[in-house]
Amino acid sequence: MATTKAQDPAADSRRWAALFFIGLAQLMIVLDGTVVNIALPSLQRDLGISDGDRQWIITAYTLAFGGLLLLGGRIADYTGRKRTFLIALLGFAGASALGGAADDFEMLLSARALQGGFAALLGPSALSLLTVTFTQPKERAKAFGVWGAITAVGGAIGLLAGGALTDYLDWRWCLYISVPIALIAVAGGYTMLAESRSGGRARFDIPGVLLVTGGLVAIVYGTSQAESDGWGSAKVIGLLAGGAVLLAAFGFVESRVSQPMLPPRLIADRTRGGAYLSVGLAMVAMFGAFLFMTYYLQVIKGYSPIRTGVAFLPMTVAVLMSAGGLATRLLPKVPPRLLIVPGMLLIASGMLWLRTMETDTGYAEGVLVSGLLLGLGAGMIMPVAFNYATHGVDPRDAGIASAGVNTAQQISSSIGTALLNTIATGATADYSASHASQGSGPAFAKQAMLEGFMTAGTWAAGILLAGALIVAVLMNTPRTEHQAVTEDPESTGGAEDAEPVRTPLPPPAEVH
């Protein structure tokens, strides 16, 4: 029977040092997805961006990220995960510098899309490096606990940093800040990381890339256009239907090509399917909450950007407590759905709490409560979902499995932000039209905006509740205590027949 490799103290220390730089790269990716949020009101005024178009500053990043992630995962697998990691960091730094120097909406949008493209290389290479570095259950639980905490808390850190940078410097520094972080990660990654890649000749599924990216762009653009054209317009229906057809064609192509961008064997696993779904739905709510709470605090309550960032700190603490203190400890001991489902219910409760808020509601009974619920829920979901999304995967597929969960995260952020922003702006417009006789002053405008946020929050909660029910039924995976998954020594050197070595306990249940 195959045995696991002996642990060398020096190698063990090197692995944890490598985790720091891998985590730093992940922090930059997640931070950049939200650091601009608090700066949105300022840059929206500065560049003359409309309310309907403001969400594109967020979705240009997340859509490019999500649409190219699967290709990025395959590139990382076949060209070298360390090499891809370092190149992506340098490209991300350059795109961030370009965005900081933008003088119009189009240039900023292009820079955000470039950031997303390089993040699509960086995300799967970072997570796959983590996957092949930590293979023992206890170490893996700790490493993914750190990773999950970074993923969940990075958004809140981005909001705090965005507030400070916008207040004391300028919104442009919300983009410049990624440059030094990327350079530090490059220096550390070059020194500490070991190269690994899959064997065999790489064939990249270009038709799959075009189909999935085109389908996702059509759906997000159609959703955003519904705010101005209406859900029943021919343009919106055509975009949504066209996007659905392209995604269906993508699924068909993936089942026919010899080296699919997203191998059906990966998504046929109930465990990974549940993990992808839970990450995606959590991100729908979290990105929606960041957007709505930012505008609620700055526009309705009159908070400064830095005060808004500080207001999100309790959410950050809640994520750390939940991910580091609860999820990481329980991860090897309980089935994943016993953590994920309660986490989704907590996030849904946080979104529903928006319905209790008024324009004069105090911070403690409004945003604080909602933020704590969201943070606790996210901390319970992220470490577990990221662990099980890559658990038991053949080392040859580490990059693409990592890309799959990152894709779920980013695409859900894109579609969720576009959808919830459209619902919110539509509800605001409906309220303004139906209550026009009550006045049109600043107080009325604030109430109309709040009505939009409450409506969108209710929709988000409903989506999460439905998702929690699906995960509870779908993810019937047992706990994995004492289950070891290690890579064959040949797997990182390119052996095509390398297989993961497992102890006798069974892997998560699969659908065949």
Side-chain angles (χ1 to χ4, degrees):
M1 183 178 70
T3 57
T4 60
K5 291 178 283 190
Q7 297 298 313
D8 175 27
D12 185 67
S13 175
R14 188 182 184 91
R15 280 200 308 275
W16 290 106
L19 174 62
F20 173 80
F21 295 106
I22 295 172
L24 192 64
Q26 174 68 1
L27 175 63
M28 184 185 69
I29 292 173
V30 179
L31 183 149
D32 218 85
T34 58
V35 70
V36 177
N37 280 52
I38 283 189
L40 267 179
S42 297
L43 71 85
Q44 185 178 357
R45 290 191 300 268
D46 194 10
L47 300 181
I49 303 171
S50 69
D51 286 346
D53 286 339
R54 69 189 176 195
Q55 56 91 14
W56 280 106
I57 303 301
I58 307 300
T59 56
Y61 174 81
T62 56
L63 185 59
F65 192 172
L68 297 173
L69 260 169
L70 296 175
L71 177 62
R74 273 301 179 220
I75 291 174
D77 280 337
Y78 284 101
T79 64
R81 292 156 188 143
K82 176 180 176 179
R83 178 185 301 174
T84 304
F85 180 80
L86 298 178
I87 291 172
L89 281 169
L90 292 173
F92 196 98
S96 299
L98 178 65
D103 57 5
D104 57 37
F105 176 57
E106 290 74 19
M107 184 176 176
L108 179 59
L109 209 60
S110 299
R112 292 289 285 167
L114 275 175
Q115 282 184 309
F118 282 109
L121 287 175
L122 183 57
S125 60
L127 185 55
S128 59
L129 283 168
L130 185 70
T131 300
V132 299
T133 300
F134 295 92
T135 56
Q136 298 303 310
K138 289 186 178 179
E139 283 192 345
R140 185 178 173 91
K142 291 179 182 178
F144 275 88
V146 172
W147 181 271
I150 290 172
T151 301
V153 80
I157 293 175
L159 293 169
L160 178 60
L165 293 169
T166 303
D167 247 5
Y168 296 120
L169 295 171
D170 185 77
W171 64 263
R172 298 178 185 279
W173 282 94
C174 294
L175 293 154
Y176 289 142
I177 190 62
S178 294
V179 177
I181 296 176
L183 295 179
I184 292 170
V186 166
Y190 181 81
T191 304
M192 293 294 175
L193 292 172
E195 184 61 281
S196 69
R197 63 171 58 86
S198 295
R201 181 182 176 186
R203 296 187 186 93
F204 297 115
D205 180 17
I206 302 303
V209 174
L210 297 176
L211 288 170
V212 72
T213 303
L216 293 170
V217 169
I219 289 175
V220 173
Y221 184 60
T223 302
S224 66
Q225 286 298 111
E227 184 268 331
S228 58
D229 298 349
W231 290 101
S233 72
K235 181 179 181 180
V236 171
I237 293 174
L239 284 167
L240 296 179
V245 169
L246 289 173
L247 292 180
F250 168 72
F252 177 80
V253 167
E254 296 306 281
S255 67
R256 297 293 187 272
V257 297
S258 60
Q259 287 191 354
M261 187 167 62
L262 181 61
R265 66 179 179 273
L266 290 181
I267 57 176
D269 184 282
R270 294 178 69 163
T271 299
R272 278 189 286 277
Y276 292 171
L277 178 64
S278 59
V279 167
L281 294 183
M283 288 298 100
V284 168
M286 294 299 288
F287 270 70
F290 290 154
L291 181 65
F292 300 151
M293 288 184 182
T294 296
Y295 275 85
Y296 174 80
L297 290 171
Q298 290 194 43
V299 178
I300 296 177
K301 303 296 290 183
Y303 280 28
S304 66
I306 183 61
R307 189 181 177 190
T308 302
V310 172
F312 282 103
L313 276 178
M315 182 191 296
T316 305
V317 175
V319 171
L320 291 173
M321 290 176 58
S322 181
L326 179 62
T328 300
R329 293 176 182 272
L330 295 178
L331 180 56
K333 301 177 182 179
V334 301
R337 63 181 172 185
L338 291 188
L339 290 170
I340 289 177
V341 172
M344 295 177 77
L345 296 177
L346 283 170
I347 295 179
S349 300
M351 297 305 291
L352 285 174
W353 194 263
L354 293 173
R355 298 203 64 85
T356 70
M357 294 162 56
E358 302 289 345
T359 56
D360 59 351
T361 299
Y363 169 75
E365 60 265 32
V367 170
L368 177 61
V369 175
S370 182
L372 289 175
L373 291 169
L374 290 163
L376 290 171
M380 292 178 69
I381 293 172
M382 292 304 173
V384 184
F386 273 91
N387 189 334
Y388 280 89
T390 57
H391 187 79
V393 173
D394 189 309
R396 291 172 297 178
D397 289 327
I400 195 62
S402 304
V405 67
N406 275 290
T407 297
Q409 178 184 354
Q410 297 303 323
I411 291 304
S412 297
S413 300
S414 299
I415 296 176
T417 302
L419 175 63
L420 295 180
N421 185 68
T422 296
I423 292 172
T425 53
T428 295
D430 291 343
Y431 181 89
S432 298
S434 61
H435 295 76
S437 60
Q438 298 180 8
S440 58
F444 178 79
K446 291 179 180 180
Q447 183 61 43
M449 179 179 286
L450 180 60
E451 288 291 329
F453 296 162
M454 289 192 297
T455 301
T458 302
W459 274 90
I463 293 170
L464 277 162
L465 292 173
L469 178 61
I470 295 172
V471 171
V473 174
L474 178 69
M475 204 173 187
N476 61 344
T477 315
R479 66 192 176 99
T480 58
E481 188 177 21
H482 306 308
Q483 182 178 352
V485 179
T486 62
E487 57 176 343
D488 188 284
E490 297 289 329
S491 66
T492 57
E496 184 62 29
D497 59 348
E499 294 292 340
V501 180
R502 297 183 177 89
T503 58
L505 290 182
E510 292 189 351
V511 175
H512 299 286

